[in-house]
Amino acid sequence: MSALTSSDASVITVRNPGTGEQLGEVEAASAERVAAVVEAAQEGQRAMAAMPAHERADLLRRVADLIEAERGDLATLLAAENGKPVQQTRGEVDAAIRIFRGYAGEATRLFGRQIPLDAVPGLERHLAVTMREPLGVVAALVPFNYPVELYAHKAAAALAAGNAVVVQPPARCPLSLVRVAELVERAGAPAHAHQLVTGGVQVSQALAQLPGIAAVSLTGSTAAGRAIAQLGATTLKKVFLELGGNDALIVCDDADAEEAARAVVLGRLARGNGQICCAVKRVYVQDGIHDAFVESLLGQTAKLSVGDQLLEETDVGPLIAEEAAERVEAAVGKLVGEGARLAAGGGRRGAFVDPVVLVDVPATSPTFAEEIFGPVAPVARFSDPLDAVRMANESPYGLHAAVFTRDVSRAFSIARRLDVGGVVVNGSTALRAENLPFGGTKDTGGYREGLHETVLDFTRQKTIVVMEAFE
């Protein structure tokens, strides 16, 4: 059962992806509606730009407090519409609360600089300073997999920097963000400073093209990122892209096999139902530890509970839609056809997929090089760690990678050679802390999102020169 249906062109019906139960309806905004929202946002932008930094900080803290007061209800709603197990959606709501509070602090730290003009002959008596100003109206295009957390990174940063923000929630699970938007209004955001427009690709395209949008921030697929970048270029707006990943985990002979296997289970099979851009998507295991690693991985995978995402004991819930599960099932079939052996899982029931472990995966398998968005752990062998690095770098993506080894020198040597945005040593690739820069290289988009980075990216610098400031 799909989580999204539309019997009326102007209405989107949101459903539980596991049961098909209708959860609510939202508008599929027309191009005229999107244009009206963006026009109104100019008023909100002026109000936010005029708001002192301490008031912007207070606004964000009030939003965080209101989200915290509804933490349980929001987590349950998010689990119902998204499919992630409820204990994980609680963690996502907690992250959003921290992010709003973190950006409240950043709102008061938008520092300018004094630049010494005496470095230039003839300008010794003049003074130059820079100051940070808001960009304008920011469009935040939010994905389905972690909508509340990733929304917070974009919307809170935009407001902290004095911008207005127009948010497009994911079409398949918009209801949690609809509720959060009500809380932002209750917190006292200026009129039209924070608005939602619901709908599909047409809404994204309109936001990318409209001249009233100063910047677009997108987390999504590489194909979507390319399309948005091309549309945004027509009005020379800033485009910030955090895109796909095919994250590799390298397990060396001297690693702890059980801990490495746990990193795959918790970083792929039992986290976000495998639908995470930085999840462990490729596993390379050195010959000497391969069998022990696979044995542990299979043992831990067998203990996972697949079922109703609203039950506390569930580890893996339904994927976002039955079509997504069908794509995962097809990818597993292709891997087997290319020489991999199915060691565990693979069964599909509607949107549910039993966690998959594949072994003996040929490193040159075309499907192995693609991003599979679901609970699938393909395992390949290697003999020389440098070969594992080479194979990991052959991917067109470069988000995260991980290496398991007890040798610190080896860990840093491998990390330096990996063409990715972040490397985790002795842990899962599925790690994101809000105060770290998060992003990748190559087809992952090149952008870095995080508390200290995004708020600056959502500002512009103005230089002011005072002539004859010094005698």
Side-chain angles (χ1 to χ4, degrees):
M1 173 66 70
S2 171
L4 173 72
T5 59
S6 181
S7 56
D8 183 326
S10 64
V11 173
I12 294 172
T13 301
V14 183
R15 299 183 183 277
N16 181 316
T19 66
E21 174 193 359
Q22 180 172 329
L23 302 173
E25 292 182 339
V26 296
E27 171 192 16
S30 65
E32 293 77 15
R33 168 64 178 156
V34 176
V37 165
V38 172
E39 182 177 358
Q42 310 310 312
E43 176 188 338
Q45 166 60 33
R46 290 187 288 272
M48 288 302 303
M51 186 181 292
H54 69 87
E55 291 186 10
R56 298 198 302 271
D58 288 342
L59 169 63
L60 295 178
R61 281 190 284 265
R62 289 195 300 272
V63 173
D65 290 345
L66 290 171
I67 294 174
E68 189 170 43
E70 296 194 10
R71 172 183 181 264
D73 290 343
L74 279 170
T76 300
L77 175 58
L78 178 57
E81 65 173 339
N82 172 275
K84 287 204 302 287
V86 69
Q87 72 272 20
Q88 295 180 30
T89 57
R90 287 194 202 101
E92 179 176 347
V93 173
D94 288 342
I97 295 165
R98 293 195 307 270
I99 290 165
F100 266 91
R101 288 174 177 156
Y103 279 115
E106 293 301 315
T108 65
R109 292 191 286 267
L110 291 170
F111 302 126
R113 296 179 296 161
Q114 185 269 315
I115 299 174
L117 283 181
D118 60 356
V120 180
L123 300 182
E124 296 87 350
R125 296 174 60 185
H126 310 323
L127 173 69
V129 296
T130 65
M131 57 191 300
R132 293 274 179 180
E133 295 181 336
L135 283 179
V137 180
V138 175
L141 311 185
V142 182
F144 75 83
N145 56 343
Y146 278 78
V148 176
E149 179 176 348
L150 297 179
Y151 150 83
H153 265 296
K154 301 175 192 304
L159 296 173
N163 301 286
V165 61
V166 176
V167 179
Q168 183 189 5
R172 292 194 179 276
C173 51
L175 301 180
S176 302
L177 292 189
V178 170
R179 179 56 186 155
V180 171
E182 294 170 353
L183 299 180
V184 174
E185 182 178 3
R186 191 199 302 176
H192 311 304
H194 179 282
Q195 300 178 86
L196 259 62
V197 282
T198 48
V201 174
Q202 294 82 358
V203 170
S204 305
Q205 293 172 339
L207 290 172
Q209 293 179 87
L210 285 166
I213 297 292
V216 177
S217 178
L218 165 73
T219 299
S221 70
T222 298
R226 286 197 175 101
I228 293 299
Q230 290 172 355
L231 293 171
T234 62
T235 53
L236 298 179
K237 57 172 55 68
K238 290 182 177 292
V239 179
F240 304 106
L241 303 174
E242 198 283 291
L243 307 176
N246 196 2
D247 306 69
L249 185 145
I250 298 170
V251 184
C252 297
D253 275 346
D254 64 339
D256 183 320
E258 186 174 351
E259 286 300 315
R262 182 175 292 111
V264 176
V265 171
L266 297 181
R268 174 59 159 176
L269 303 180
R271 181 76 61 82
N273 303 333
Q275 300 169 120
I276 309 176
C277 56
C278 61
V280 177
K281 299 191 179 78
R282 294 176 292 155
V283 185
Y284 297 98
V285 185
Q286 199 164 8
D287 291 331
I289 198 174
H290 177 273
D291 291 350
F293 169 84
V294 170
E295 181 182 2
S296 181
L297 178 59
L298 291 174
Q300 294 183 46
T301 301
K303 298 176 183 178
L304 296 176
S305 171
V306 181
D308 185 346
Q309 69 269 32
L310 298 179
L311 299 179
E312 295 293 336
E313 62 270 22
T314 297
D315 298 305
V316 184
L319 273 63
I320 189 64
E322 186 170 352
E323 304 94 287
E326 290 171 348
R327 287 193 292 271
V328 171
E329 183 181 40
V332 171
K334 287 181 181 179
L335 282 167
V336 172
E338 292 162 1
R341 178 168 62 86
L342 182 63
R348 182 181 70 82
R349 299 168 305 284
F352 293 89
V353 175
D354 294 330
V356 176
V357 175
L358 293 146
V359 297
D360 302 329
V361 179
T364 57
S365 161
T367 307
F368 196 34
E370 299 172 1
E371 181 180 28
I372 301 173
F373 227 50
V376 180
V379 181
R381 290 176 178 264
F382 70 89
S383 298
D384 185 335
L386 291 181
D387 286 337
V389 171
R390 174 184 54 77
M391 291 186 290
N393 285 343
E394 286 174 350
S395 169
Y397 303 102
L399 184 49
H400 272 183
V403 56
F404 269 80
T405 177
R406 291 185 172 93
D407 186 328
V408 174
S409 177
R410 175 184 289 172
F412 274 95
S413 296
I414 290 175
R416 288 186 63 182
R417 289 180 170 90
L418 287 165
D419 187 4
V420 295
V423 179
V424 180
V425 178
N426 294 331
S428 164
T429 60
L431 171 66
R432 181 169 188 179
E434 57 269 15
N435 61 339
L436 294 177
F438 181 83
T441 63
K442 300 182 286 189
D443 283 1
T444 298
Y447 177 53
R448 297 296 182 273
E449 190 172 64
L451 287 182
H452 311 302
E453 284 74 27
T454 307
V455 70
L456 293 180
D457 287 333
F458 287 175
T459 65
R460 61 190 178 205
Q461 293 190 78
K462 176 179 285 184
T463 301
I464 300 175
V465 179
V466 181
M467 305 299 288
E468 306 296 335
F470 305 108
E471 295 182 357

